[in-house]
Amino acid sequence: MTIMRIAAAAASSCLAFSVNAATQQELQDALVGNTFQGDMGGGGYSSYFGENGTYHDASTSGRYEITDDGVCYPDTEFGCYQATIDGTLLEWMKDGESAGTGEILEGDALDLMPD
């Protein structure tokens, strides 16, 4: 009986994670045309997600795609990140673990788009 309870609890926690993970549409609605500002990889990080599929941060830019796998960075070693979104708060997830947290700011709030 105990094994069944453990299995049920594990299935329940997996279900809770998948319910909390943002869908492709939720990621698009939250990020495209807006800026993420927060902490990622142990340091401060900000990035504007342009409507043309290009991201811009303080030192670089590149392509991004929002897919069923999350926010993906093709042609880089970054791969894909999933996210949970609560209002304007976003937590990046990589391989089931937190990779950073921050806030979604409206538009190009930090003027990261090149002129």
Side-chain angles (χ1 to χ4, degrees):
M1 201 63 155
T2 303
I3 293 173
M4 292 178 73
R5 287 187 188 143
I6 292 171
S12 172
S13 66
C14 288
L15 180 61
F17 177 76
S18 66
V19 169
N20 291 332
T23 66
Q24 181 178 0
Q25 187 63 53
E26 289 169 334
L27 286 169
Q28 288 176 333
D29 291 345
L31 292 174
V32 176
N34 292 318
T35 302
F36 169 81
Q37 179 180 35
D39 177 64
M40 193 160 184
Y45 171 74
S46 301
S47 189
Y48 172 73
F49 292 85
E51 294 177 18
N52 64 355
T54 303
Y55 70 87
H56 300 273
D57 62 35
S59 61
T60 190
S61 64
R63 290 185 325 113
Y64 76 90
E65 297 174 348
I66 297 176
T67 71
D68 287 336
D69 294 326
V71 179
C72 302
Y73 299 90
D75 308 321
T76 72
E77 69 277 2
F78 301 129
C80 298
Y81 290 85
Q82 299 75 44
T84 58
I85 300 172
D86 184 8
T88 61
L89 302 177
L90 182 143
E91 180 175 12
W92 293 113
M93 304 295 290
K94 183 77 168 175
D95 301 324
E97 295 186 20
S98 179
T101 59
E103 186 172 6
I104 301 166
L105 307 174
E106 189 173 337
D108 185 14
L110 302 176
D111 200 28
L112 296 170
M113 276 287 285
D115 293 326

